[in-house]
Amino acid sequence: EVQLVESGGNLVQPGGSLRLSCVASGITFSNYWMSWVRQAPGKGLEWVASVKGDGSVKAYADSVGGRFTISRDNAKNSMDLQMTSLGAEDTAVYYCARVYYYDASGPFDFWGQGTWVTVSS
Amino acid sequence: AIDLTQSPSSLSASVGDSVTITCRASRGIASGLAWYQQKPGKPPKLLIYGASILENGVPSRFSGSGSGPDFTLTINSLQPEDFATYYCQQFNSFPQVTFGGGTKVEVK
């Protein structure tokens, strides 16, 4: 059974930093692109970042580029999102998702339950 | 970036109705479109990908069609568990993907 478990969400002050983690089980982790998607309270889904299975390719939404860094450790079946210079607009639940990669692209077929990040003083 | 415009943003329906949700892409995305269902407090669930391919385990009352710029999600014979918010996603420009704004299906 595929499981994705996020952790690290917390209340952080504006301008602060936070590191989120996602641990996967039930899959050969290194075979998959992985992504972070966030959802602000009462709002829609927003793609944040993705990383290729071997970590060699990373992509970011314009809204977080230069502030967030995605990484992975395939030996630990884990993926991280380092977030810096956080602002109120980053308040959201952050989901970890697996990419069903086919034909050089793909949707997100498994999702974690999410971890909350609140940016407030 | 490719924008996706979903319509309507909400709709009211009754059990047994058929409902259709539309997603319009700002430029060509071939069949790189997926649909998700999300219930309150839960993560999204993949329903359809490749515009019309039903994900394993998803009931056949869900169907998708279209090839750009307009795509549709149809739910035939709406069931009580189908009241939720639905999102489209384009992955044609992967890894730069985008989501539509969502359509909330509510009880009439």
Side-chain angles (χ1 to χ4, degrees):
Chain A
E1 179 192 6
V2 179
Q3 281 199 316
L4 302 174
V5 179
E6 304 93 336
S7 62
N10 211 333
L11 171 65
V12 61
Q13 292 190 338
S17 300
L18 202 61
R19 190 176 188 92
L20 306 182
S21 292
C22 170
V23 175
S25 58
I27 62 172
T28 303
F29 186 66
S30 60
N31 285 354
Y32 294 94
W33 279 82
M34 296 294 296
S35 298
W36 288 98
V37 176
R38 68 184 181 183
Q39 186 170 35
K43 302 298 184 182
L45 302 170
E46 180 187 16
W47 170 73
V48 173
S50 295
V51 59
K52 192 177 179 181
D54 62 3
S56 62
V57 180
K58 302 174 183 181
Y60 300 92
D62 290 344
S63 59
V64 305
R67 299 189 299 123
F68 289 12
T69 302
I70 191 171
S71 62
R72 64 190 296 159
D73 184 341
N74 288 341
K76 296 181 179 179
N77 283 3
S78 68
M79 173 180 68
D80 287 352
L81 186 68
Q82 177 68 47
M83 305 185 294
T84 62
S85 302
L86 287 163
E89 69 277 10
D90 298 313
T91 293
V93 58
Y94 284 72
Y95 293 106
C96 162
R98 186 183 84 166
V99 178
Y100 172 50
Y101 190 75
Y102 75 104
D103 199 20
S105 65
F108 300 165
D109 64 344
F110 283 97
W111 297 65
Q113 292 299 308
T115 187
W116 270 100
V117 173
T118 302
V119 184
S120 175
S121 54
Chain B
I2 299 174
D3 293 324
L4 296 178
T5 303
Q6 273 186 249
S7 60
S9 57
S10 67
L11 64 90
S12 299
S14 301
V15 172
D17 287 350
S18 287
V19 301
T20 297
I21 299 167
T22 297
C23 180
R24 171 167 289 182
S26 60
R27 62 176 192 260
I29 58 171
S31 58
L33 189 100
W35 291 97
Y36 299 84
Q37 176 193 69
Q38 187 181 33
K39 296 181 179 179
K42 298 294 186 180
K45 173 187 174 184
L46 177 64
L47 299 176
I48 287 169
Y49 63 97
S52 61
I53 302 170
L54 203 63
E55 173 71 337
N56 289 340
V58 174
S60 59
R61 63 181 179 272
F62 291 91
S63 64
S65 64
S67 59
D70 292 326
F71 297 84
T72 60
L73 171 70
T74 299
I75 312 172
N76 288 312
S77 187
L78 201 66
Q79 297 300 298
E81 60 269 29
D82 299 337
F83 293 98
T85 300
Y86 294 84
Y87 294 92
C88 58
Q89 176 207 30
Q90 70 79 19
F91 52 86
N92 186 67
S93 61
F94 186 90
Q96 301 277 350
V97 304
T98 48
F99 291 91
T103 297
K104 187 173 184 179
V105 177
E106 300 176 297
V107 177
K108 182 182 285 184

